[in-house]
Amino acid sequence: MAQPDHEVVVIGAGPGGIAAGVRLREAGIDDFAILERADEVGGSWRDNTYPGIGVDIPSIAYQYSFARNPDWTRVFARGAEVKAYHQDVADRFGLGKHLRFHTEVMREEWDEPGHLWRLHTADGPVLTARFVINAVGAFINPKDDPGIPGLAGFTGKIQRPTSWDHGYRHTGKRVAVIGTGASSVQITPSIAGEVAKLVVFQRTPVWCLPKPDFEIPPAARAALRLPGLMSLLHGIMLLGVELLLRAAVYAPLPIAARAMRLMDAGAKRAYRWYLRRVVRDEKVRRALLPGYGPLGKRPTLSNTFLRTFNRPNTELVTTPIERFTETGLRTADGARHEFDMIVLATGYELFSDPESYRPGAVVGRDGFDLGEFYAANRLQAYESVSVPKLPNRWMLVGPYSWTGTGWHALVEITSRHAVRAITEARRRGATSAEVRQSAHDTYHARVRKRGANIAYYFREQNRGLRTYYVNSHGDMPYIRPSTVLEARWRSRHFDLDDYEYKTGVH
C-alpha cells in the first residue's frame, strides 16, 4: 500500500484549522499539514478588515479553552486584535512547521485501494493524506453576485467586507451600503461621519441591540490572570446559554410554541420603545422595526448603527434595488441614485447551504459525491462531522453544528471528535475509519426529531422570513438541536464502534 504524503491533512488555517492542529499535537500526531489558500492564518479575521470590524460576543467567550487570553483590551475585541490572537496561538503551539500557505484544495478524491485521499490543489500538485479534516469555516466565500443585475457596468468603486481596499479614500464621497446584516451594522456608523452622503439599502430590518462595549482597564486585565477566573467567567456565560438551549430544545412543543410567541411579542414591544429613544424620525423608525422575532435572523449589536440614521447625510431606502447603473443604482420606483462607492454587504456562501457543496468537489468510496448527495437528500452528518462513504474524513463546521456559542467552542468540539476517531483507527492499526450507515441514520433521525421546536419557530411562527438559518431546502442545518454540554460530552464519548475500521493490504 502506498504511503501518503501526510498522515493527516487539515484544510484551512482559520479558527478550526488551528484547533485541529493543536488537538493533533496533543494526541501525539505530528505528521500533519495544514493547507491554507491565503498567506496567513486567521480565516475570516484575516480576510475581513473593513471599518469597524469586531466580535459580536464578549471577548472572554471568543477564544479557545486551551489558550485563554487575559489581555483583551475591550469587552468586544476589534478585528486586528482577534487576528493577532489567532496568530499567537498558532505560534505558541508550534503549528508553523505544519502550515502550507497559497495551497487551495479544489477537489478531494478517495482512493479506495490505497485507503487515502488525493487532494487536487489549484496550482496543480496532488497531495495525499490518510486522514482529512476539513476545517473550512461557516462563511465559506463572499457572494460574488449580489443578485442585482448590472454590477459589471458600475464604473465607481465596489467595496466588499472580505477584501476592503484601504487605499481607496471614501472621505467626502457619495456612498451606498447594500444590506443591513452584521458587517453593515459595523461599517455604516464607521464611515458615516467621513462621507458626504450615505445611503443604506435595506431589504429586511435587522434587530440591533445595545452593545455593552468598553475598554478593559489594566487592573481588570491583571485580575483576569488569576488562576481559574477567566474559565469561571466563561463557564457562567456558557451556563446561561446552556439553560436557554435546554429549554428551547427539550420543552414539549405546545409549551415551547407558547413561550416563543410570548418572547417575540414582548421583544417587539421592547424594541419599538428602544427605537423611539434612539431614532428621531418616525418614518425611519417604522422602517427599522422588524416584523419577525429576535432569533429569526442573526441579531446584531451596536451602539451607533441606529443612531446613524439621525445624521443629515444618511438615508435609509427600503424600495427594492432594480439594477446597477453606470453611475449607481436604480430602484424599483424608477429613482436613480448616484454613488462614487458601493459597499456590498450582501452575505456569504454558508456551510448550511446545499449549494456550497459543489458536485465533484468531494468524491468518496464507490463514486459517492457529497455535493450530489446533499442536493438530493438534504444536509446531514453523524455528529455534524462525518458522512458514510467518505472514510477518514471529518468536517469541523458541518450540518447541524452551531451550538449558539462562539465558533471556538464549536470547533473544539468537532476537532476533538475527529482526532478521537483518528486516534482509535491508529490504535487498531486501521487505515480506514468510516461511520456506519446505521449510526449515521439513527443520529440524523434524532436531530430531526429534536429540531421540532426550532423548525416551528422558523416555519410557523416566522414563516416566510428570508434568513440564512433556513436553507433552500427549508431546513435549519445551521443550528445543532442540543445543548453545549451535550455536544461537548458526545465529542468525548461517542461510541467508537459507530465507525467501521479496516486495514488495507500492504
Side-chain angles (χ1 to χ4, degrees):
M1 177 178 293
Q3 291 301 306
D5 297 322
H6 299 282
E7 185 175 13
V8 184
V9 162
V10 178
I11 302 175
I18 293 170
V22 171
R23 293 301 183 204
L24 286 166
R25 295 207 67 184
E26 286 179 350
I29 302 172
D30 200 54
D31 180 13
F32 69 91
I34 303 175
L35 309 184
E36 171 53 53
R37 63 184 176 181
D39 58 358
E40 291 181 285
V41 304
S44 294
W45 298 103
R46 173 200 61 234
D47 298 336
N48 288 271
T49 61
Y50 58 77
I53 184 172
V55 297
D56 54 7
I57 67 172
S59 306
I60 288 176
Y62 203 85
Q63 57 184 333
Y64 301 108
S65 65
F66 54 78
R68 304 285 186 191
N69 178 22
D71 295 320
W72 296 115
T73 61
R74 302 190 66 86
V75 175
F76 292 83
R78 302 287 168 80
E81 192 172 3
V82 180
K83 176 188 173 185
Y85 167 75
H86 288 97
Q87 182 64 65
D88 176 69
V89 173
D91 293 342
R92 199 188 327 165
F93 286 87
L95 301 185
K97 67 178 182 178
H98 300 279
L99 288 162
R100 294 183 59 170
F101 296 116
H102 302 292
T103 306
E104 183 174 9
V105 176
M106 306 301 293
R107 174 180 168 88
E108 303 168 46
E109 183 180 17
W110 174 249
D111 180 332
E112 176 63 20
H115 278 194
L116 52 79
W117 282 94
R118 297 189 179 277
L119 307 175
H120 300 256
T121 62
D123 57 357
V126 177
L127 303 175
T128 56
R130 181 74 67 213
F131 304 100
V132 168
I133 299 176
N134 187 300
V136 175
F139 306 100
I140 300 171
N141 290 304
K143 292 181 179 178
D144 289 332
D145 181 1
I148 304 167
L151 174 60
F154 176 61
T155 58
K157 178 67 175 178
I158 292 291
Q159 291 277 30
R160 299 176 186 271
T162 54
S163 55
W164 194 273
D165 180 3
H166 292 275
Y168 179 83
R169 295 186 61 80
H170 54 251
T171 303
K173 301 291 179 66
R174 300 164 301 173
V175 176
V177 177
I178 301 178
T180 54
S183 56
S184 173
V185 165
Q186 296 184 335
I187 293 169
T188 296
S190 298
I191 65 174
E194 302 167 351
V195 303
K197 178 182 179 182
L198 179 64
V199 180
V200 178
F201 290 84
Q202 170 185 279
R203 183 172 62 182
T204 305
V206 67
W207 286 80
C208 185
L209 307 176
K211 189 174 187 177
D213 188 24
F214 52 86
E215 290 188 6
I216 301 175
R221 296 204 296 270
L224 289 174
R225 293 183 175 278
L226 294 174
L229 179 58
M230 186 171 288
S231 297
L232 175 63
L233 293 174
H234 190 195
I236 292 171
M237 293 181 193
L238 283 180
L239 179 61
V241 173
E242 180 76 10
L243 293 175
L244 288 173
L245 287 174
R246 184 167 293 278
V249 172
Y250 297 114
L253 181 55
I255 296 174
R258 178 171 174 76
M260 288 187 284
R261 288 194 295 270
L262 291 172
M263 176 192 72
D264 281 7
K268 289 175 186 177
R269 286 194 297 270
Y271 196 64
R272 189 178 290 110
W273 172 86
Y274 176 61
L275 285 172
R276 285 199 300 268
R277 289 179 58 87
V278 298
V279 179
R280 291 195 291 265
D281 187 280
E282 182 180 353
K283 182 180 178 182
V284 175
R285 286 202 302 268
R286 287 200 302 269
L288 290 169
L289 180 65
Y292 59 93
L295 301 181
K297 293 170 75 75
R298 178 182 176 182
T300 62
L301 298 176
S302 175
N303 298 322
T304 53
F305 175 72
L306 297 174
R307 289 182 170 87
T308 299
F309 296 103
N310 295 328
R311 300 182 60 90
N313 71 331
T314 302
E315 180 183 356
L316 179 69
V317 173
T318 59
T319 306
I321 299 171
E322 186 176 84
R323 65 175 295 108
F324 286 89
T325 66
E326 187 174 328
T327 56
L329 297 165
R330 186 174 73 223
T331 47
D333 58 3
R336 290 179 174 270
H337 306 262
E338 296 195 344
F339 301 107
D340 304 298
M341 179 178 104
I342 298 177
V343 180
L344 299 182
T346 49
Y348 296 83
E349 297 175 357
L350 294 173
F351 76 99
S352 51
D353 294 329
E355 296 79 10
S356 297
Y357 300 85
R358 287 4 181 223
V362 180
V363 179
R365 183 170 56 79
D366 300 330
F368 173 85
D369 188 303
L370 182 64
E372 293 178 357
F373 174 75
Y374 278 165
N377 298 279
R378 300 183 168 186
L379 270 61
Q380 51 194 281
Y382 171 73
E383 296 287 345
S384 86
V385 296
S386 58
V387 177
K389 296 188 179 180
L390 295 180
N392 295 3
R393 184 184 186 274
W394 296 267
M395 298 174 282
L396 297 194
V397 183
Y400 301 96
S401 59
W402 186 58
T403 57
T405 56
W407 294 107
H408 296 80
L410 186 160
V411 296
E412 283 193 54
I413 288 168
T414 51
S415 61
R416 185 181 296 278
H417 179 120
V419 173
R420 184 168 182 251
I422 292 171
T423 301
E424 179 63 11
R426 297 173 93 227
R427 187 188 71 80
R428 298 188 185 203
T431 52
S432 171
E434 178 182 343
V435 66
R436 298 178 188 274
Q437 189 72 54
S438 58
H440 169 274
D441 293 347
T442 298
Y443 177 79
H444 186 59
R446 186 164 66 245
V447 164
R448 302 283 291 187
K449 182 178 180 180
R450 286 186 175 179
N453 292 349
I454 297 170
Y456 176 86
Y457 186 77
F458 288 100
R459 291 177 182 162
E460 300 297 330
Q461 188 159 315
N462 291 285
R463 183 183 303 174
L465 175 65
R466 296 173 64 99
T467 170
Y468 67 52
Y469 291 143
V470 181
N471 68 13
S472 59
H473 288 152
D475 294 332
M476 284 81 28
Y478 196 101
I479 306 165
R480 179 169 180 153
S482 77
T483 68
V484 183
L485 291 180
E486 180 189 354
R488 184 181 291 178
W489 188 91
R490 290 285 304 169
S491 71
R492 292 179 167 93
H493 300 95
F494 66 88
D495 189 344
L496 291 167
D497 286 327
D498 280 353
Y499 285 87
E500 181 180 7
Y501 306 89
K502 297 178 182 178
T503 302
V505 178
H506 291 274

